């Protein structure tokens, strides 16, 4: 006699993920994107000029002025570190670039000799002064990044204390080399400098183009390279990463170098937009850069972050600033709203984590 088959045992609750842990809701960045879209709709009704072509170009250019530095600091935050010197680094790199450009262009300079036509030798090669000046500014950033990384990774100093001290050191050096005065990019390559820092291509601001290229490069590095895996491993569990053979010291130094170079490049671009490199340039920008990274989903505890979140955080901050201006609201409310958004972003992520 055939025995009846037993009903198969099923586990309907196994393998199912709650809706707030799927798709766009799987990360803090997703919630911020939704908040950004909602805010843009509100701004559209608050001002008919918000979605105009000119204003969108302004938004794209303005948020790019902190977004490149935010990409750099996201590397550091993913490892569980912090860099408070990015604002000072922006100023110092911009100032070095501007001063070298002027020095190399000046007849009778101590560093170059005159050609037969009375110009400096390097001035006779189009674009050479610009290239050397930018490399000088980035080299200054590289040195600061190496010092930060060495103090933190090799000497074991606190990232907060180290970069806080470097913030003051680099800002002080900027005042020393300039005697407290601004520096203005000049010389035969000044047109190249301004075109490549504050110009546009087919109506698209040059800083925005650089941002897209660097963000794509960052995404590839973080998600498709051994270095990227090492960066996330450090933020997840540094001791475990060290036990698995990851070169912790080298990776830490590299992320601080990347952060400093990104800040240096950002400062050079901003000086092209301003037309000068004042000694007080980018003061307190480190707060906006860190805020954008955290709002976009980078976790200060480490292990989480990426280029999309960094960009979204920067866009959100700029939309708030731009919208307040268009709506004729006191711009001083911006800092208040940024603080509220940071707390809300972290709170939503914490609530979402506890619901799992």
């Amino acid at each position: 006699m055939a025995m009846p088959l037993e009903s198969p045992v099923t586990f309907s609750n196994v393998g199912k993920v709650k809706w707030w842990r799927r798709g766009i809701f799987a990360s803090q960045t997703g919630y911020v994107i939704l908040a950004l879209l909602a805010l843009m709709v509100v701004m559209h009704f608050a001002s008919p000029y918000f979605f105009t072509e000119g204003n969108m170009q302004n938004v794209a250019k303005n948020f790019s002025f902190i977004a490149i530095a935010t990409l750099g600091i996201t590397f550091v935050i993913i490892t569980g570190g912090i860099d408070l010197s990015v604002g000072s680094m922006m100023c110092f790199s911009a100032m070095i670039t501007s001063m070298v450009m002027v020095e190399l262009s000046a007849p009778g300079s101590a560093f170059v000799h005159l050609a037969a036509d009375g110009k400096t030798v390097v001035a006779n090669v189009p674009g050479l002064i610009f290239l050397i000046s930018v490399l000088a500014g980035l080299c200054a950033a590289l040195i600061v990044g190496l010092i930060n990384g060495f103090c933190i990774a090799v000497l074991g100093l606190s990232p907060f204390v180290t970069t806080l001290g470097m913030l003051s050191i680099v800002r002080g050096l900027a005042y020393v080399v300039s005697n407290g005065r601004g520096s203005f990019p000049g010389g035969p390559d000044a047109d190249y400098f301004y075109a490549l820092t504050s110009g546009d291509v087919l109506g698209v601001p040059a800083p925005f183009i650089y941002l897209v290229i660097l963000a794509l490069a960052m995404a590839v590095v973080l998600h498709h390279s051994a270095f990227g895996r090492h960066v996330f491993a450090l933020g997840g569990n540094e001791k475990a990463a060290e036990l698995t053979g990851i070169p912790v010291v080298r990776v830490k130094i590299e992320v601080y170098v990347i952060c400093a170079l990104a800040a240096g490049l950002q400062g050079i671009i901003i000086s092209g937009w301003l037309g000068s490199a004042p000694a007080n340039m980018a003061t307190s920008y480190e707060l906006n850069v860190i805020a954008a990274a955290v709002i976009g989903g980078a976790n200060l505890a480490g292990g989480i972050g990426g280029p999309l979140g960094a960009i979204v955080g920067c866009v959100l901050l700029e939309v708030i600033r731009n919208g307040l201006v268009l709506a004729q609201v006191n711009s001083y409310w911006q800092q208040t709203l940024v603080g509220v958004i940071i707390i809300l972003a972290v709170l939503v992520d914490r609530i979402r984590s506890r619901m799992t």
Side-chain angles (χ1 to χ4, degrees), residues 14-160:
V14 176
K16 287 190 174 182
V17 181
K18 301 296 185 180
W19 65 267
W20 59 82
R21 299 289 292 179
R22 297 198 303 263
I24 194 173
F25 301 102
S27 68
Q28 179 178 315
T29 303
Y31 288 93
V32 176
I33 291 175
L34 292 179
L36 174 61
L37 294 175
L39 181 61
M40 292 177 74
V41 171
V42 172
M43 294 303 182
H44 171 64
F45 286 106
S47 172
Y49 303 105
F50 181 76
F51 276 114
T52 60
E53 180 181 353
N55 190 57
M56 288 295 98
Q57 288 180 340
N58 286 335
V59 170
K61 178 181 289 188
N62 290 340
F63 88 79
S64 300
F65 289 146
I66 66 167
I68 293 175
T70 305
L71 294 180
I73 205 170
T74 298
F75 274 102
V76 173
I77 292 176
I78 292 174
T79 64
I82 196 70
D83 190 345
L84 300 176
S85 64
V86 289
S88 297
M89 193 64 256
M90 289 183 201
C91 174
F92 191 58
S93 280
M95 188 163 287
I96 293 297
T97 299
S98 179
M99 293 178 71
V100 170
M101 183 176 292
V102 172
E103 186 67 25
L104 292 179
S105 304
S109 166
F111 300 100
V112 294
H113 61 278
L114 298 180
D117 59 1
K119 294 182 179 179
T120 60
V121 173
V122 289
N124 285 318
V125 182
L128 184 57
I129 291 179
F130 167 76
L131 180 61
I132 294 174
S133 302
V134 170
L135 289 177
L138 293 179
C139 281
L142 174 66
I143 293 172
V144 173
L146 285 172
I147 295 174
N148 279 339
F150 178 81
C151 291
I152 293 167
V154 179
L155 301 183
L157 302 182
S158 164
F160 183 89

Side-chain angles (χ1 to χ4, degrees), residues 157-211:
L157 302 182
S158 164
F160 183 89
V161 174
T162 300
T163 57
L164 180 62
M166 191 59 69
L167 178 155
S168 182
I169 292 171
V170 175
R171 181 68 67 176
L173 287 175
Y175 278 99
V176 169
V177 298
S178 66
N179 289 320
R181 298 188 300 268
S183 179
F184 301 87
D189 286 352
D191 290 339
Y192 291 110
F193 181 79
Y194 291 121
L196 292 172
T197 54
S198 60
D200 59 74
V201 179
L202 300 176
V204 180
F208 181 76
I209 296 174
Y210 304 147
L211 171 63

Side-chain angles (χ1 to χ4, degrees), residues 254-274:
E254 288 172 346
V255 296
Y256 281 96
V257 168
I258 290 172
C259 181
L261 287 173
L265 177 60
Q266 188 78 85
I268 294 170
I269 292 173
I270 292 175
S271 68
W273 174 60
L274 293 175

